Amino acid sequence: MTLAERLAAALVSHRETMLIVGDRDDLPAHDALTAAAVLVPITDRPRPGVILTQRTETLRKHAGQVAFPGGRIDPGEDPITAALREAFEEIALPPDAVEVIGISDRYRTGTGFSITPVIGIVPPDLSLTPSEAEVASVFEVPLDFLLDSANHRSASTMWQGQERFYYEMLWEERRIWGATAGMIVNLARRLAAAA
């Protein structure tokens, strides 16, 4: 079974799996939040990787954080169109270079977003150019590292007077945490349940 087939099967699997619904359990329903989409670009190579971005330190929200390319869904867009548009705007990833596999589980954030992860396969070694206004750098993390539950560390912090729990993964000098890590953990759990 190819990587694309394995991912597609996991996304439609109805096997019971424990998914993370969001940054915390007391968030409003998805429909009450701002719709957003991210692209989870997986490189088609013998050891596949996931392309991630490091956001610039000058952004008003989530400055310096590791993220998937993505953002708000504009009026008239579906999650796939929005994720592909945002990936092009943020890292110059051509939409026609992405083989869209499917949509993963939505994730709610404490900052008011319902994020739809769009899973796509991309050719290896694409020439990607970060948008100077939003993206400080683009890098790739091996997919097997991200999917390995041994690398999913549970952590917590105090935020707005409440303890918040989240996952984080440390890859080289990068800290992948929060919503990005939560979506990765969900994908890992889906793939494990479908195996």
Side-chain angles (χ1 to χ4, degrees):
M1 183 180 286
T2 68
L3 174 62
E5 291 168 339
R6 187 169 161 239
L7 289 166
L11 294 178
V12 298
S13 172
H14 296 292
R15 289 191 183 163
E16 285 294 317
T17 186
M18 189 72 148
L19 297 175
I20 305 165
V21 297
D23 290 350
R24 48 184 219 259
D25 294 332
D26 62 342
L27 292 170
H30 287 286
D31 293 344
L33 300 170
T34 301
V38 296
L39 181 65
V40 181
I42 301 172
T43 54
D44 186 11
R45 61 172 86 243
R47 185 180 185 203
V50 175
I51 297 170
L52 292 164
T53 68
Q54 181 93 38
R55 297 170 62 85
T56 63
E57 294 290 342
T58 57
L59 290 174
R60 245 178 2 133
K61 294 184 178 180
H62 312 293
Q65 289 185 3
V66 170
F68 295 115
R72 291 176 192 257
I73 297 176
D74 287 342
E77 285 184 323
D78 60 29
I80 293 172
T81 304
L84 294 174
R85 174 186 52 76
E86 287 283 346
F88 181 71
E89 290 173 3
E90 290 182 15
I91 61 173
L93 175 57
D96 61 358
V98 181
E99 177 190 351
V100 174
I101 301 303
I103 290 175
S104 191
D105 303 280
R106 290 190 298 174
Y107 188 92
R108 297 176 298 168
T109 71
T111 54
F113 290 93
S114 172
I115 304 172
T116 302
V118 176
I119 312 299
I121 304 291
V122 299
D125 306 317
L126 286 172
S127 178
L128 301 173
T129 306
S131 165
E132 287 183 26
E134 293 183 70
V135 179
S137 64
V138 180
F139 62 100
E140 187 173 332
V141 179
L143 179 62
D144 57 3
F145 173 87
L146 294 174
L147 297 180
D148 185 346
S149 63
N151 298 321
H152 304 167
R153 293 181 17 186
S154 181
S156 68
T157 190
M158 290 301 289
W159 187 67
Q160 295 183 339
Q162 291 185 321
E163 189 173 19
R164 304 290 188 213
F165 296 90
Y166 59 91
Y167 280 93
E168 68 180 3
M169 297 150 209
L170 304 176
W171 168 252
E172 297 179 346
E173 75 282 0
R174 314 275 186 174
R175 179 178 177 234
I176 305 162
W177 70 285
T180 302
M183 288 181 273
I184 291 168
V185 168
N186 279 348
L187 182 60
R189 289 177 179 179
R190 246 202 206 285
L191 284 164

